[in-house]
Amino acid sequence: MKTSDGPWATARRAPSAEASESPASASGGGHGVPCDLVTVPARQGLEAVDILRRGSGEAPAVGPVVLDGTCDNLGFLVPPGTAAGWDMPGSACTETAGRGLRVPAEPPLTGGAWLLPPDAGTGEVTDPAVLREALGEAARLIEAADGHR
């Protein structure tokens, strides 16, 4: 994956290799619906979470979000099959549905912690199209902020 130096470096940087590996909890346990995991750099991910939480409508636009153990990356749980068509620069999507990952009680990244824990009542994950839009908007906000320093 291509990375960039300069003002887009944070927004376009690829997630770490650890964040892009198969989630630690990819064995059958957990609850809710099966899911894949989109990982992004923490700065862009936090902006995207804010954008998604401000979204319109009564239903939350963002599902469970995990912060990795080094606080470098955020992971968004998305529907299974998302990885097959995911091509957002600066992010990675790990296909986990074939290995039985479901919305887990424990964060699916080694050493990670929930930023937004799963709602045991719904088991909903983030819509990939909505996430893609939020990540794009977050990248533009970061570029604008870095350009005014």
Side-chain angles (χ1 to χ4, degrees):
M1 184 174 300
K2 202 177 218 179
T3 60
S4 168
D5 293 344
W8 275 73
T10 300
R12 289 188 176 175
R13 154 186 110 183
S16 69
E18 177 185 326
S20 298
E21 290 174 3
S22 295
S25 301
S27 59
H31 63 282
V33 297
C35 57
D36 285 355
L37 182 71
V38 171
T39 53
V40 297
R43 184 176 180 200
Q44 184 179 13
L46 290 169
E47 286 287 348
V49 167
D50 285 344
I51 292 163
L52 291 167
R53 293 187 83 182
R54 288 191 314 255
S56 61
E58 291 185 25
V62 62
V65 178
V66 64
L67 183 63
D68 74 2
T70 61
C71 298
D72 289 334
N73 299 287
L74 254 60
F76 292 84
L77 299 182
V78 294
T82 299
W86 190 261
D87 62 354
M88 184 84 181
S91 67
C93 188
T94 305
E95 182 178 16
T96 60
R99 292 183 293 272
L101 178 68
R102 298 195 174 267
V103 176
E106 295 298 317
L109 293 174
T110 304
W114 289 114
L115 179 68
L116 296 174
D119 178 353
T122 65
E124 297 210 10
V125 294
T126 303
D127 179 285
V130 173
L131 178 58
R132 184 182 307 275
E133 287 180 34
L135 290 172
E137 184 177 340
R140 290 187 295 278
L141 288 170
I142 291 168
E143 178 184 30
D146 287 352
H148 287 93
R149 287 185 179 178

